[in-house]
Amino acid sequence: MDTNKNSYTFIFALVMVIIVAFTLSFAATSLKPLQDANLKQEKMQNILKTVGVNLSREEAQIQFTNYVKKGIVIDNKGNLVEEKQGNEIEKGIAFTLNMKSEWKRKPEIQKIPLFVAEVEGKTFYVIPLNGMGMWSDIWGNVALESDKNTIAGVNFDHASETSGLGAEITTDWFQKDWKGKKIMSESGEFASVVTVKGGAKDGDNHGVDAISGGTVTSTATSDMFSNRVKLYMPYFNKLK
Amino acid sequence: MSEEKEGLFSKKNRQLLVNPLDDNNPITVQVLGICSALAITVKLEPAIVMSLSVLFVLSAGNVIISLMRNIIPSRIRIIVQLVVVASLVILVDQVLKAYLFDVSKQLSVFVGLIITNCIVMGRFEAFALGNTPWKSFLDGIGNSAGYGLVLVIVAFFRELLGSGALFGQQIIPDSFYEAGYMNNGMMLLPPMALIVVGIVIWVQRARNTNLVETN
């Protein structure tokens, strides 16, 4: 057989592409339910982690409603759009919302998700975050204490930040620095929390250490934080 | 055909495994795969994960290419190689996401890096296209082990000197820091990876004089 003939080359390429396309789409569709289940468990695990409940993924799914009491959706004026409780939370908009596409819609019609958790009698507000890192998406959650000002915990994750540099946003040392910071200034204005290159000063309520060599991702993380968290201010003001 | 009579681990076949570790190391001698050696050697753990992924992709890909070596049209062989490596990597990634979610989280960053790793394409082109599947398999294992060896050495020094830790555990005692010792932030940046690779090459050639160019 002459493998250099044009017709052979075309047929070979065609057959190869069909086989590969079939194999990959078969793998993708047949594995999708398992992958989605893993993602759902991970989301629950991450939400619980910000309020100080560290569980395995499987355990997180079972215990989720023991801690997370409400999944609510608000609009940009602070009005309540939807409220789900108990086992309904994971079916509600707050939990299933695709934040990446929601985020591109006009502010007036955006749905803004929020979770209310209770741990050992204390109430926490968990805000899901979503933004753009250096290479691709970054996301996470932040839990605020019942004063809606002090950060109880954060977690961040990313799709493809540089390992060892930007990807450090997922590490404990970076995230634990956020704990106890305030999102409001002394005068009651929204002040957010920013990453400081070279390290935040002691006693700075609005600054955390940035990552050496990961400046772009660090800045993107604090931008994401302020862009998302400020959307909840109208709602928090109404609660007061 | 002398190939038929050759034992599975004949001297020649053992050479395929051992040579890439030193005399024909993909990074320090062939100077392939440098980009990934810079990108993921900040810490030991990702370096090891990357080495294992390359081990799998390279040995499996080598076997597949070798099985197809007589039917691949030579004019589109590079495209065929790319398709094989890309679909292998994506397939593995999909399976891991479903069954070993935590490993897949570790690996997700490397998917792109494995596909573009010149060692993989280099071995397909230089070896698997002209050799039997078993030999290609050994060559794949040998080369990825040689690659992994250098990665681990570089990552060891970068994490130790850059973060004072190994596998994320602090190694340098607190008393050193109190006495004024500081982690070298430069070690975390890509230039120092190049310099460490350079030192590895220097040490290797000082020891193994066969590698020194005569001119």
Side-chain angles (χ1 to χ4, degrees):
Chain A
M1 190 166 48
D2 180 11
T3 56
N4 282 320
K5 262 180 26 200
N6 280 348
S7 54
Y8 178 82
T9 307
F10 273 112
I11 293 169
F12 184 91
L14 200 69
V15 172
M16 176 183 74
V17 169
I18 291 171
I19 293 176
V20 167
F22 183 78
T23 318
L24 290 186
S25 44
F26 177 75
T29 41
S30 57
L31 297 173
K32 189 96 177 41
L34 282 166
Q35 295 171 351
D36 287 347
N38 284 336
L39 287 173
K40 185 173 136 189
Q41 288 181 341
E42 193 200 24
K43 194 168 174 178
M44 292 176 165
Q45 185 188 29
N46 283 339
I47 290 173
L48 291 180
K49 210 169 132 193
T50 56
V51 294
V53 180
N54 285 310
L55 296 171
S56 70
R57 267 186 298 118
E58 291 78 14
E59 216 26 46
Q61 184 168 23
I62 299 164
Q63 302 252 18
F64 188 67
T65 49
N66 294 348
Y67 297 102
V68 178
K69 298 297 177 194
K70 278 192 266 180
I72 62 183
V73 177
I74 54 173
D75 65 13
N76 77 330
K77 300 202 180 54
N79 302 313
L80 194 66
V81 178
E82 188 192 82
E83 179 173 325
K84 297 274 187 210
Q85 299 189 349
N87 288 329
E88 293 292 303
I89 296 175
E90 61 178 79
K91 296 185 196 104
I93 299 175
F95 194 82
T96 53
L97 189 69
N98 179 347
M99 300 234 336
K100 196 182 169 185
S101 49
E102 191 62 24
W103 182 53
K104 291 177 187 138
R105 298 172 66 185
K106 281 191 211 126
E108 305 86 66
I109 53 166
Q110 258 190 45
K111 298 189 185 82
I112 305 168
L114 177 70
F115 299 97
V116 183
E118 262 171 46
V119 182
E120 288 158 9
K122 277 194 266 179
T123 307
F124 294 96
Y125 296 88
V126 183
I127 299 174
L129 306 171
N130 187 292
M132 202 63 197
M134 178 157 165
W135 303 115
S136 177
D137 297 334
I138 51 175
W139 60 91
N141 295 286
V142 49
L144 300 177
E145 285 177 12
S146 51
D147 62 357
K148 304 173 205 73
N149 182 12
T150 315
I151 296 176
V154 291
N155 67 60
F156 301 115
D157 208 343
H158 65 95
S160 44
E161 298 307 296
T162 318
S163 172
L165 303 174
E168 294 285 291
I169 59 168
T170 60
T171 54
D172 283 340
W173 73 260
F174 180 71
Q175 296 180 3
K176 77 170 186 246
D177 216 18
W178 293 68
K179 208 173 161 179
K181 302 289 173 193
K182 313 272 185 200
I183 59 168
M184 311 293 273
S185 68
E186 302 280 328
S187 56
E189 299 288 305
F190 179 66
S192 192
V193 176
V194 290
T195 51
V196 182
K197 201 173 171 174
K201 290 191 193 77
D202 284 345
D204 181 353
N205 269 337
H206 305 288
V208 293
D209 293 353
I211 299 159
S212 325
T215 310
V216 177
T217 312
S218 303
T219 315
T221 308
S222 56
D223 285 352
M224 162 175 85
F225 184 87
S226 95
N227 287 339
R228 291 303 311 182
V229 175
K230 74 172 176 229
L231 298 176
Y232 295 81
M233 290 306 123
Y235 179 71
F236 287 162
N237 285 332
K238 281 190 180 176
L239 287 185
K240 272 177 191 161
Chain B
M1 291 280 280
S2 62
E3 261 177 31
E4 308 289 327
K5 291 174 210 140
E6 216 180 305
L8 279 184
F9 287 101
S10 65
K11 194 163 178 246
K12 243 166 100 189
N13 283 349
R14 280 204 309 272
Q15 283 298 317
L16 290 175
L17 274 177
V18 180
N19 247 345
L21 292 180
D22 187 3
D23 283 3
N24 204 9
N25 189 288
I27 296 186
T28 61
V29 181
Q30 302 174 37
V31 200
L32 293 172
I34 291 290
C35 342
S36 56
L38 303 189
I40 50 139
T41 50
V42 178
K43 294 205 142 66
L44 256 176
E45 203 185 323
I48 290 173
V49 176
M50 177 73 178
S51 309
L52 291 176
S53 341
V54 169
L55 183 88
F56 174 80
V57 172
L58 187 52
S59 47
N62 253 358
V63 171
I64 294 175
I65 290 287
S66 169
L67 286 171
M68 299 201 302
R69 70 187 185 282
N70 294 325
I71 57 164
I72 297 177
S74 63
R75 275 179 296 176
I76 59 162
R77 64 182 196 284
I78 302 277
I79 300 174
V80 176
Q81 289 161 17
L82 251 179
V83 169
V84 167
V85 57
S87 30
L88 258 181
V89 172
I90 293 169
L91 204 59
V92 172
D93 187 50
Q94 293 282 345
V95 172
L96 290 180
K97 262 189 194 146
Y99 294 105
L100 289 167
F101 190 68
D102 299 305
V103 180
S104 92
K105 290 216 59 138
Q106 288 262 320
L107 218 69
S108 61
V109 192
F110 305 119
V111 171
L113 281 173
I114 299 169
I115 297 177
T116 53
N117 195 324
C118 8
I119 295 177
V120 178
M121 294 287 285
R123 293 327 290 172
F124 285 0
E125 176 76 11
F127 197 88
L129 272 178
N131 286 284
T132 57
W134 172 247
K135 284 192 173 183
S136 305
F137 178 72
L138 292 179
D139 179 77
I141 303 266
N143 272 284
S144 36
Y147 168 76
L149 182 69
V150 176
L151 237 56
V152 168
I153 294 174
V154 176
F156 174 84
F157 287 108
R158 284 184 79 188
E159 188 172 2
L160 183 66
L161 301 175
S163 318
L166 290 175
F167 292 107
Q169 302 294 318
Q170 191 183 334
I171 291 289
I172 301 194
D174 284 329
S175 53
F176 273 55
Y177 291 103
E178 279 152 25
Y181 174 84
M182 275 173 84
N183 286 330
N184 185 344
M186 183 81 174
M187 288 304 281
L188 299 175
L189 303 176
M192 281 312 283
L194 261 190
I195 292 174
V196 177
V197 171
I199 294 173
V200 172
I201 294 179
W202 178 23
V203 171
Q204 189 193 14
R205 293 190 184 207
R207 205 176 51 81
N208 185 345
T209 44
N210 294 335
L211 295 173
V212 182
E213 289 88 355
T214 43
N215 56 346

